[in-house]
Amino acid sequence: MKLGGQRASHNVEDRRGMGVVGGGLGVGGIVIALIAYFLGFDPGAVMQVQEQAASGGTRQQGQMGAPADEPGQFVSQVLGSTEDVWGRIFENSGAQYRPPTLVLYDGQVRSACGMGQSAMGPFYCPGDEKLYIDLAFFRDLHQRFQAPGDFAQAYVIAHEVAHHVQKTTGAFGKMDAARARGSRAQQNQLSVRMELQADCYAGVWGAHAGSMQQLSPGDIEEGLAAASAIGDDRLQKQMQGRVVPESFTHGSSEQRSRWFKRGLESGNPGDCDTLSAASL
Ligand SMILES: [Zn+2]
């Protein structure tokens, strides 16, 4: 990526090196976290289970503003780019974009959705409108999932930001209501639709980043490789040796990279309507 001209966002909260006050995850919590990780990103529903166990601790507040170190700067600039892009898209439809806060942490973190753990991968908590990222995940993305590159990392950030966009547009609320009524299989289906929309929205951001001359040759391929690397089928095969499509919560590798590409090619969030699409 070429982010030299991009302002860094100040909506970054640095909790690295702070640890967690008030106890960590019990054994049960760790097991749940590993299952969530296995499923991919955003173990929001799983984390609610842990909320009780985690409550009663002290509230944490990290340093606000763009961190000075290189990875911190990178994350802040990507976040700044998403703010500029979504700010304009919202403005064009007569609305105002309320940007989320990105929390950097290491190991464990307390969120309004419960305790987060780096093994879960990055996640968005609608309760406090913050995205939580342990930068160690980017190393995993490179080494374990073989998806290297700065744009692969930016895609992950843009995907979590997309969940925030879904919250502000009300998609999250609608999905929660439908999820509460549905069977497990229907709930998984809904989750896949939300995740593919987030991938498509990440692509929409990528399209605008391209117009702002922020992409380097090879970036698109990096992003597509990352979307594909964290598909449910690929992850399931890697971790349990078989694929169970009914248990997909994020979509297959093919679906994830295809919807990401769709957003990249169109640049228009209106083309990301996975919620009512007849086929995914
Ligand atoms: Zn997601």
Side-chain angles (χ1 to χ4, degrees), residues 41-42 159 163 195:
F41 293 103
D42 315 318
H159 174 99
H163 284 313
E195 293 299 330

Side-chain angles (χ1 to χ4, degrees), residues 63-172:
Q63 175 87 31
M64 288 299 297
D69 62 297
E70 203 199 314
Q73 272 292 313
F74 172 74
V75 162
S76 308
Q77 284 181 306
V78 171
L79 188 66
S81 178
T82 66
E83 288 169 358
D84 294 349
V85 168
W86 286 109
R88 270 200 305 278
I89 291 174
F90 272 62
E91 203 178 290
N92 287 342
S93 61
Q96 206 189 352
Y97 180 59
R98 183 180 68 241
T101 297
L102 188 157
V103 178
L104 288 172
Y105 75 99
D106 37 36
Q108 296 183 32
V109 73
R110 192 179 300 284
S111 78
C113 299
M115 288 293 293
Q117 215 193 26
S118 53
M120 295 167 164
F123 64 94
Y124 171 70
C125 174
D128 54 21
E129 303 197 345
K130 293 181 178 182
L131 22 147
Y132 292 85
I133 297 184
D134 182 331
L135 293 174
F137 179 77
F138 290 154
R139 203 180 50 228
D140 276 359
L141 197 61
H142 184 165
Q143 292 171 356
R144 186 167 178 181
F145 302 119
Q146 267 132 51
D150 55 359
F151 191 70
Q153 300 174 1
Y155 151 72
V156 169
I157 298 168
H159 174 99
E160 300 307 331
V161 166
H163 284 313
H164 175 70
V165 171
Q166 288 175 320
K167 175 176 178 191
T168 59
T169 58
F172 244 112

Side-chain angles (χ1 to χ4, degrees), residues 109-243:
V109 73
R110 192 179 300 284
S111 78
C113 299
M115 288 293 293
Q117 215 193 26
S118 53
M120 295 167 164
F123 64 94
Y124 171 70
C125 174
D128 54 21
E129 303 197 345
K130 293 181 178 182
L131 22 147
Y132 292 85
I133 297 184
D134 182 331
L135 293 174
F137 179 77
F138 290 154
R139 203 180 50 228
D140 276 359
L141 197 61
H142 184 165
Q143 292 171 356
R144 186 167 178 181
F145 302 119
Q146 267 132 51
D150 55 359
F151 191 70
Q153 300 174 1
Y155 151 72
V156 169
I157 298 168
H159 174 99
E160 300 307 331
V161 166
H163 284 313
H164 175 70
V165 171
Q166 288 175 320
K167 175 176 178 191
T168 59
T169 58
F172 244 112
K174 269 186 239 162
M175 188 202 65
D176 274 350
R179 203 142 67 167
R181 292 190 301 268
S183 68
R184 186 56 175 270
Q186 286 167 322
Q187 289 173 6
N188 288 345
Q189 256 298 315
L190 275 167
S191 169
V192 167
R193 286 179 183 273
M194 291 293 284
E195 293 299 330
L196 292 178
Q197 183 172 62
D199 284 333
C200 186
Y201 281 174
V204 167
W205 163 74
H208 290 266
S211 316
M212 298 188 291
Q213 316 296 328
Q214 292 181 344
L215 300 194
S216 307
D219 274 355
I220 305 279
E221 290 75 16
E222 276 175 24
L224 289 170
S228 174
I230 51 182
D232 286 322
D233 49 348
R234 182 93 58 100
L235 290 177
Q236 286 188 353
K237 194 150 179 118
Q238 232 171 48
M239 300 197 195
Q240 65 182 16
R242 65 200 171 93
V243 178

